[in-house]
Amino acid sequence: MGIVIMHSVVSVDGFIADENDDVGPLHEWYFNGDTPITEGSDQPYDHSGVGSRFKVSRASAGYVRRMWNGIGTIVMGRHLFDLVNGWEGHPPAGDHVVVVSHRPKPEGWHPEASYHFLDDVTTAIDKAKELAGGRDVAVDAGNVGGQIFGAGLVDEVAMDVVPVVFGSGKRYFGSIDGQHLLEDPHVVIQGDRVLHLRFKVRR
């Protein structure tokens, strides 16, 4: 049975982008290594505007491959969807995407893509689990991710921590209130210019 994983690349001080949605050096490790994440794949990825191919360190490649291969559905907010134009209908992992939004899918936008627009986080997670078919659901961090986490719908938190301090910007957990305990990290992997961490959410 799959789990719900909240995930993003994040600065040491907890930001996933600056106030203008610029990720700065946060995604550089995705492109500066010598090992492709998906062997034999030439699919471009343009999340950070680099327009390059994923090549990471060997340690990161093993970790990211395992995570991405386990994902059936990605859940994202409308803001990120608009920023990346939904990855043009080709998510970096999984076969389905659920977008949390009060606005419907843009008319005529990639009708062949399995993208579903729902306006409630609980309904969105239920739909994502259904689509995932027993695989994991990956929730993009940020405001919507924070809402899903705050609603108690996240099983694990995954952070790819990059050694940079932003000072301000878009927070990993959005505007979540209160304290929430996590278990000790059960994954700690040092890559090149990134530290991969995974924590189970304490119930």
Side-chain angles (χ1 to χ4, degrees):
M1 189 65 182
I3 60 174
V4 178
I5 307 169
M6 184 175 176
H7 172 254
S8 187
V9 182
V10 62
S11 68
V12 171
D13 55 343
F15 295 100
I16 58 175
D18 70 14
E19 296 290 359
N20 299 313
D21 296 306
D22 186 348
V23 297
L26 287 180
H27 294 178
E28 289 179 358
W29 65 274
Y30 271 129
F31 309 101
N32 288 346
D34 56 9
T35 307
I37 290 176
T38 305
E39 292 176 303
S41 173
D42 286 328
Q43 180 177 334
Y45 178 66
D46 204 24
H47 184 290
S48 62
V50 177
S52 185
R53 281 16 179 213
F54 285 120
K55 282 195 174 181
V56 298
S57 69
R58 188 171 299 277
S60 290
Y63 169 74
V64 176
R65 279 183 195 145
R66 287 190 299 273
M67 174 178 275
W68 286 14
N69 287 339
I71 293 170
T73 307
I74 292 176
V75 179
M76 66 192 309
R78 183 58 180 259
H79 183 67
L80 179 57
F81 173 86
D82 289 340
L83 276 176
V84 301
N85 196 28
W87 303 296
E88 299 296 341
H90 298 284
D95 301 312
H96 312 279
V97 174
V98 173
V99 182
V100 180
S101 175
H102 295 294
R103 291 178 285 140
K105 180 162 65 173
E107 188 173 351
W109 185 88
H110 293 285
E112 77 288 352
S114 180
Y115 279 57
H116 307 263
F117 287 63
L118 299 167
D119 63 2
D120 172 78
V121 294
T122 302
T123 305
I125 292 297
D126 287 343
K127 182 65 174 179
K129 288 179 176 179
E130 174 192 330
L131 292 167
R135 298 170 75 193
D136 294 337
V137 172
V139 175
D140 285 322
N143 282 328
V144 167
Q147 291 172 35
I148 293 169
F149 179 84
L153 301 173
V154 171
D155 300 307
E156 292 192 16
V157 170
M159 295 176 145
D160 299 321
V161 183
V162 172
V164 60
V165 175
F166 271 38
S168 64
K170 306 293 178 71
R171 296 186 178 276
Y172 181 98
F173 288 100
S175 56
I176 190 170
D177 292 324
Q179 293 185 2
H180 300 263
L181 290 177
L182 307 176
E183 300 295 348
D184 291 338
H186 64 94
V187 173
V188 181
I189 296 174
Q190 183 175 340
D192 184 5
R193 301 295 296 169
V194 64
L195 178 65
H196 306 289
L197 300 172
R198 281 180 67 163
F199 309 82
K200 295 182 188 299
V201 177
R202 182 173 291 184
R203 302 297 188 191

PDB file of all heavy atoms in Angstrom, residues 108-123:
ATOM      1  N   GLY A 108      -8.881  23.154 -23.172  1.00  0.00           N
ATOM      2  CA  GLY A 108      -8.048  22.651 -24.249  1.00  0.00           C
ATOM      3  C   GLY A 108      -6.637  22.275 -23.850  1.00  0.00           C
ATOM      4  O   GLY A 108      -5.848  21.859 -24.697  1.00  0.00           O
ATOM      5  N   TRP A 109      -6.320  22.371 -22.539  1.00  0.00           N
ATOM      6  CA  TRP A 109      -4.953  22.102 -22.086  1.00  0.00           C
ATOM      7  C   TRP A 109      -4.687  20.606 -22.073  1.00  0.00           C
ATOM      8  O   TRP A 109      -5.282  19.865 -21.319  1.00  0.00           O
ATOM      9  CB  TRP A 109      -4.723  22.700 -20.707  1.00  0.00           C
ATOM     10  CG  TRP A 109      -3.319  22.567 -20.205  1.00  0.00           C
ATOM     11  CD1 TRP A 109      -2.286  23.433 -20.408  1.00  0.00           C
ATOM     12  CD2 TRP A 109      -2.780  21.490 -19.419  1.00  0.00           C
ATOM     13  NE1 TRP A 109      -1.145  22.960 -19.798  1.00  0.00           N
ATOM     14  CE2 TRP A 109      -1.417  21.769 -19.194  1.00  0.00           C
ATOM     15  CE3 TRP A 109      -3.318  20.317 -18.902  1.00  0.00           C
ATOM     16  CZ2 TRP A 109      -0.587  20.926 -18.458  1.00  0.00           C
ATOM     17  CZ3 TRP A 109      -2.499  19.465 -18.178  1.00  0.00           C
ATOM     18  CH2 TRP A 109      -1.153  19.772 -17.967  1.00  0.00           C
ATOM     19  N   HIS A 110      -3.791  20.125 -22.896  1.00  0.00           N
ATOM     20  CA  HIS A 110      -3.326  18.734 -22.918  1.00  0.00           C
ATOM     21  C   HIS A 110      -4.424  17.745 -22.508  1.00  0.00           C
ATOM     22  O   HIS A 110      -4.349  17.118 -21.436  1.00  0.00           O
ATOM     23  CB  HIS A 110      -2.106  18.565 -22.009  1.00  0.00           C
ATOM     24  CG  HIS A 110      -0.895  19.293 -22.491  1.00  0.00           C
ATOM     25  ND1 HIS A 110      -0.140  18.845 -23.569  1.00  0.00           N
ATOM     26  CD2 HIS A 110      -0.316  20.452 -22.082  1.00  0.00           C
ATOM     27  CE1 HIS A 110       0.865  19.692 -23.774  1.00  0.00           C
ATOM     28  NE2 HIS A 110       0.774  20.674 -22.894  1.00  0.00           N
ATOM     29  N   PRO A 111      -5.440  17.578 -23.334  1.00  0.00           N
ATOM     30  CA  PRO A 111      -6.551  16.690 -22.969  1.00  0.00           C
ATOM     31  C   PRO A 111      -6.129  15.237 -22.751  1.00  0.00           C
ATOM     32  O   PRO A 111      -6.837  14.472 -22.095  1.00  0.00           O
ATOM     33  CB  PRO A 111      -7.508  16.814 -24.161  1.00  0.00           C
ATOM     34  CG  PRO A 111      -6.666  17.285 -25.287  1.00  0.00           C
ATOM     35  CD  PRO A 111      -5.606  18.157 -24.682  1.00  0.00           C
ATOM     36  N   GLU A 112      -4.973  14.858 -23.292  1.00  0.00           N
ATOM     37  CA  GLU A 112      -4.518  13.473 -23.150  1.00  0.00           C
ATOM     38  C   GLU A 112      -3.904  13.195 -21.784  1.00  0.00           C
ATOM     39  O   GLU A 112      -3.733  12.034 -21.388  1.00  0.00           O
ATOM     40  CB  GLU A 112      -3.474  13.165 -24.243  1.00  0.00           C
ATOM     41  CG  GLU A 112      -2.080  13.711 -24.006  1.00  0.00           C
ATOM     42  CD  GLU A 112      -1.929  15.226 -24.161  1.00  0.00           C
ATOM     43  OE1 GLU A 112      -2.890  15.891 -24.612  1.00  0.00           O
ATOM     44  OE2 GLU A 112      -0.845  15.751 -23.833  1.00  0.00           O
ATOM     45  N   ALA A 113      -3.569  14.246 -21.031  1.00  0.00           N
ATOM     46  CA  ALA A 113      -2.857  14.082 -19.762  1.00  0.00           C
ATOM     47  C   ALA A 113      -3.833  13.793 -18.630  1.00  0.00           C
ATOM     48  O   ALA A 113      -4.927  14.361 -18.564  1.00  0.00           O
ATOM     49  CB  ALA A 113      -2.043  15.335 -19.451  1.00  0.00           C
ATOM     50  N   SER A 114      -3.432  12.923 -17.716  1.00  0.00           N
ATOM     51  CA  SER A 114      -4.265  12.561 -16.564  1.00  0.00           C
ATOM     52  C   SER A 114      -4.046  13.575 -15.443  1.00  0.00           C
ATOM     53  O   SER A 114      -3.345  13.316 -14.466  1.00  0.00           O
ATOM     54  CB  SER A 114      -3.931  11.145 -16.082  1.00  0.00           C
ATOM     55  OG  SER A 114      -4.737  10.799 -14.972  1.00  0.00           O
ATOM     56  N   TYR A 115      -4.649  14.751 -15.620  1.00  0.00           N
ATOM     57  CA  TYR A 115      -4.598  15.833 -14.644  1.00  0.00           C
ATOM     58  C   TYR A 115      -6.017  16.094 -14.159  1.00  0.00           C
ATOM     59  O   TYR A 115      -6.936  16.239 -14.967  1.00  0.00           O
ATOM     60  CB  TYR A 115      -4.020  17.105 -15.267  1.00  0.00           C
ATOM     61  CG  TYR A 115      -2.504  17.122 -15.338  1.00  0.00           C
ATOM     62  CD1 TYR A 115      -1.795  16.134 -15.999  1.00  0.00           C
ATOM     63  CD2 TYR A 115      -1.772  18.147 -14.733  1.00  0.00           C
ATOM     64  CE1 TYR A 115      -0.408  16.146 -16.072  1.00  0.00           C
ATOM     65  CE2 TYR A 115      -0.388  18.182 -14.797  1.00  0.00           C
ATOM     66  CZ  TYR A 115       0.288  17.174 -15.470  1.00  0.00           C
ATOM     67  OH  TYR A 115       1.655  17.200 -15.534  1.00  0.00           O
ATOM     68  N   HIS A 116      -6.179  16.174 -12.827  1.00  0.00           N
ATOM     69  CA  HIS A 116      -7.502  16.298 -12.228  1.00  0.00           C
ATOM     70  C   HIS A 116      -7.502  17.499 -11.294  1.00  0.00           C
ATOM     71  O   HIS A 116      -6.606  17.627 -10.443  1.00  0.00           O
ATOM     72  CB  HIS A 116      -7.852  15.018 -11.475  1.00  0.00           C
ATOM     73  CG  HIS A 116      -7.699  13.790 -12.320  1.00  0.00           C
ATOM     74  ND1 HIS A 116      -8.758  13.207 -12.974  1.00  0.00           N
ATOM     75  CD2 HIS A 116      -6.591  13.062 -12.642  1.00  0.00           C
ATOM     76  CE1 HIS A 116      -8.321  12.155 -13.659  1.00  0.00           C
ATOM     77  NE2 HIS A 116      -7.013  12.049 -13.481  1.00  0.00           N
ATOM     78  N   PHE A 117      -8.489  18.378 -11.419  1.00  0.00           N
ATOM     79  CA  PHE A 117      -8.552  19.622 -10.668  1.00  0.00           C
ATOM     80  C   PHE A 117      -9.659  19.524  -9.625  1.00  0.00           C
ATOM     81  O   PHE A 117     -10.831  19.341  -9.980  1.00  0.00           O
ATOM     82  CB  PHE A 117      -8.777  20.811 -11.613  1.00  0.00           C
ATOM     83  CG  PHE A 117      -7.578  21.166 -12.435  1.00  0.00           C
ATOM     84  CD1 PHE A 117      -7.058  20.273 -13.361  1.00  0.00           C
ATOM     85  CD2 PHE A 117      -6.948  22.393 -12.280  1.00  0.00           C
ATOM     86  CE1 PHE A 117      -5.945  20.591 -14.122  1.00  0.00           C
ATOM     87  CE2 PHE A 117      -5.827  22.726 -13.034  1.00  0.00           C
ATOM     88  CZ  PHE A 117      -5.324  21.817 -13.953  1.00  0.00           C
ATOM     89  N   LEU A 118      -9.280  19.635  -8.356  1.00  0.00           N
ATOM     90  CA  LEU A 118     -10.220  19.524  -7.247  1.00  0.00           C
ATOM     91  C   LEU A 118      -9.979  20.668  -6.273  1.00  0.00           C
ATOM     92  O   LEU A 118      -8.842  21.121  -6.105  1.00  0.00           O
ATOM     93  CB  LEU A 118     -10.058  18.180  -6.540  1.00  0.00           C
ATOM     94  CG  LEU A 118     -10.334  16.937  -7.418  1.00  0.00           C
ATOM     95  CD1 LEU A 118      -9.856  15.679  -6.738  1.00  0.00           C
ATOM     96  CD2 LEU A 118     -11.817  16.849  -7.742  1.00  0.00           C
ATOM     97  N   ASP A 119     -11.033  21.131  -5.602  1.00  0.00           N
ATOM     98  CA  ASP A 119     -10.899  22.343  -4.786  1.00  0.00           C
ATOM     99  C   ASP A 119     -10.817  22.083  -3.288  1.00  0.00           C
ATOM    100  O   ASP A 119     -10.915  23.011  -2.492  1.00  0.00           O
ATOM    101  CB  ASP A 119     -12.047  23.321  -5.092  1.00  0.00           C
ATOM    102  CG  ASP A 119     -13.415  22.764  -4.729  1.00  0.00           C
ATOM    103  OD1 ASP A 119     -13.485  21.627  -4.206  1.00  0.00           O
ATOM    104  OD2 ASP A 119     -14.409  23.466  -4.970  1.00  0.00           O
ATOM    105  N   ASP A 120     -10.596  20.837  -2.887  1.00  0.00           N
ATOM    106  CA  ASP A 120     -10.544  20.498  -1.467  1.00  0.00           C
ATOM    107  C   ASP A 120      -9.384  19.534  -1.239  1.00  0.00           C
ATOM    108  O   ASP A 120      -9.217  18.566  -1.995  1.00  0.00           O
ATOM    109  CB  ASP A 120     -11.871  19.858  -1.039  1.00  0.00           C
ATOM    110  CG  ASP A 120     -11.835  19.310   0.360  1.00  0.00           C
ATOM    111  OD1 ASP A 120     -11.936  20.105   1.309  1.00  0.00           O
ATOM    112  OD2 ASP A 120     -11.676  18.072   0.512  1.00  0.00           O
ATOM    113  N   VAL A 121      -8.578  19.779  -0.198  1.00  0.00           N
ATOM    114  CA  VAL A 121      -7.377  18.967  -0.024  1.00  0.00           C
ATOM    115  C   VAL A 121      -7.696  17.518   0.322  1.00  0.00           C
ATOM    116  O   VAL A 121      -7.015  16.587  -0.134  1.00  0.00           O
ATOM    117  CB  VAL A 121      -6.415  19.581   1.025  1.00  0.00           C
ATOM    118  CG1 VAL A 121      -5.865  20.903   0.537  1.00  0.00           C
ATOM    119  CG2 VAL A 121      -7.068  19.715   2.391  1.00  0.00           C
ATOM    120  N   THR A 122      -8.734  17.286   1.119  1.00  0.00           N
ATOM    121  CA  THR A 122      -9.095  15.913   1.478  1.00  0.00           C
ATOM    122  C   THR A 122      -9.567  15.147   0.258  1.00  0.00           C
ATOM    123  O   THR A 122      -9.148  14.002   0.013  1.00  0.00           O
ATOM    124  CB  THR A 122     -10.176  15.904   2.571  1.00  0.00           C
ATOM    125  OG1 THR A 122      -9.696  16.602   3.716  1.00  0.00           O
ATOM    126  CG2 THR A 122     -10.534  14.483   2.974  1.00  0.00           C
ATOM    127  N   THR A 123     -10.428  15.769  -0.542  1.00  0.00           N
ATOM    128  CA  THR A 123     -10.902  15.136  -1.773  1.00  0.00           C
ATOM    129  C   THR A 123      -9.734  14.904  -2.735  1.00  0.00           C
ATOM    130  O   THR A 123      -9.675  13.883  -3.424  1.00  0.00           O
ATOM    131  CB  THR A 123     -11.968  16.016  -2.450  1.00  0.00           C
ATOM    132  OG1 THR A 123     -13.008  16.287  -1.515  1.00  0.00           O
ATOM    133  CG2 THR A 123     -12.567  15.332  -3.665  1.00  0.00           C
TER     134      THR A 123
END
